[in-house]
Amino acid sequence: MDKTWHSTILTLFPEMFPGPLEHSLAGKALKENKWSLQTIDIRDFAYDKHQTVDDTCAGGGAGMVLKADVVDKALTHACNQYVSENPAIIYLTPRGEPLRQPRVHSLMQDHPAGCILLCGRYEGVDDRVIEKWREEKGLIEISIGDYILSGGEIAALTLMDACVRLLPGVVNKQESLESESFELDLLEFPQYTKPQIWQGKVVPEILLSGDHKKIAVWRHDQAEKITQERRPDLWQAYLNKRPFDQR
Ligand code: SAM
């Protein structure tokens, strides 16, 4: 495998990729080979004549569970493609660590080779294979939020989009990455464009002043205000990072 950031998706629905990513900066970067994407169909690792990938829940209950042996073979196949590299191995699951921007940064820093993303379906994956890969290969479980999706594919697309934006040269202006929500532990300040007056609503005067210092101060104040109003959790974390006399 070359030095490009590479994502390998294990899924029962390979046709879902790159899907919406094609219509974004990530899609443009994919065409320019700034990163690469490969799908692996979990069903290819089924071994009976019906290509069975799932079975009933042990202990009873509705739904089906993806089989440990099938998923294990698919993960092994994916891993073998990275030779001596160290990709992040991630199972997308509502039971995982909630995804936040610092985790996206650490994935990109600690695993420059890329990531292997396992997408569950039905009631999820037999926990024994998750436990094995966590213990032996450091598999991480990640959730994209406290709600239940039908499958891990949309979660994988979300995570990939967030990761690819951090690759050099994908987002044109480094500055726009640095000012985005979460990057400075705050939500972003409000953005406006032309015309100056729309339906009686006016772009704040200061943004038209050309005084970059004052604009920066205004934006920072707005970011603080919005974070305090909308996300008390982020606001508290932000305050905790400040020197004691500035809280
Ligand atoms: N029975 C599971 C539970 O209650 O935790 C939910 C299974 S869900 C219907 C099927 C698959 O969708 C999961 O295995 C996971 O891969 C994916 N999924 C669903 N919600 C998710 C979320 N919030 N974040 C990441 N993946 C999710």
Side-chain angles (χ1 to χ4, degrees):
M1 204 163 280
D2 58 29
K3 290 283 169 218
T4 323
W5 189 83
H6 186 77
S7 56
T8 306
I9 325 294
L10 278 64
T11 172
L12 288 173
F13 298 95
E15 63 278 14
M16 286 180 73
F17 297 88
L21 293 185
E22 260 185 318
H23 308 277
S24 65
L25 288 175
K28 185 166 168 276
L30 187 59
K31 284 197 191 101
E32 292 166 355
N33 296 320
K34 288 183 174 144
W35 65 293
S36 60
L37 181 153
Q38 177 201 12
T39 51
I40 291 180
D41 191 341
I42 296 173
R43 204 170 292 281
D44 290 346
F45 298 86
Y47 43 83
D48 65 352
K49 67 175 179 187
H50 301 295
Q51 288 202 292
T52 311
V53 292
D54 56 344
D55 211 330
T56 52
C57 300
M64 304 293 275
V65 176
L66 287 173
K67 288 162 70 69
D69 50 0
V70 174
V71 170
D72 186 50
K73 285 195 176 76
L75 277 169
T76 304
H77 177 78
C79 250
N80 286 344
Q81 307 196 14
Y82 285 80
V83 200
S84 58
E85 290 160 334
N86 172 31
I89 304 172
I90 298 168
Y91 172 41
L92 284 317
T93 164
R95 291 170 46 190
E97 167 196 325
L99 183 62
R100 295 188 195 284
Q101 193 66 11
R103 169 55 90 180
V104 181
H105 278 286
S106 71
L107 285 174
M108 297 306 277
Q109 265 157 26
D110 301 345
H111 303 278
C115 62
I116 294 171
L117 302 175
L118 171 62
C119 304
R121 278 273 161 173
Y122 319 125
E123 289 311 311
V125 178
D126 186 319
D127 213 55
R128 290 169 295 177
V129 69
I130 301 302
E131 190 182 310
K132 171 187 162 179
W133 280 76
R134 188 193 311 121
E135 287 168 1
E136 294 180 8
K137 301 278 185 184
L139 174 146
I140 311 165
E141 292 173 73
I142 288 184
S143 162
I144 64 156
D146 291 346
Y147 38 77
I148 304 295
L149 303 168
S150 310
E153 289 76 11
I154 291 173
L157 288 164
T158 303
L159 176 57
M160 273 192 291
D161 193 8
C163 287
V164 168
R165 288 175 63 80
L166 299 185
L167 288 170
V170 173
V171 175
N172 279 340
K173 284 191 178 167
Q174 187 61 23
E175 202 181 292
S176 64
L177 276 182
E178 284 164 10
S179 72
E180 273 173 334
S181 294
F182 310 118
E183 292 298 348
L184 301 170
D185 301 313
L186 294 171
L187 300 179
E188 196 186 50
F189 46 83
Q191 299 275 15
Y192 304 89
T193 183
K194 298 182 191 71
Q196 192 184 339
I197 304 175
W198 175 78
Q199 295 198 354
K201 293 183 184 294
V202 182
V203 173
E205 195 72 38
I206 184 87
L207 298 178
L208 309 172
S209 69
D211 186 332
H212 297 296
K213 264 194 186 155
K214 281 191 181 155
I215 291 173
V217 171
W218 181 87
R219 284 179 165 167
H220 185 74
D221 289 350
Q222 289 291 314
E224 286 197 340
K225 183 168 170 276
I226 287 169
T227 309
Q228 188 173 14
E229 283 167 6
R230 297 186 185 180
R231 290 290 300 272
D233 56 329
L234 288 182
W235 179 245
Q236 198 49 55
Y238 172 72
L239 287 184
N240 291 344
K241 280 192 185 169
R242 280 171 145 190
F244 199 68
D245 57 346
Q246 287 176 31
R247 287 182 201 172

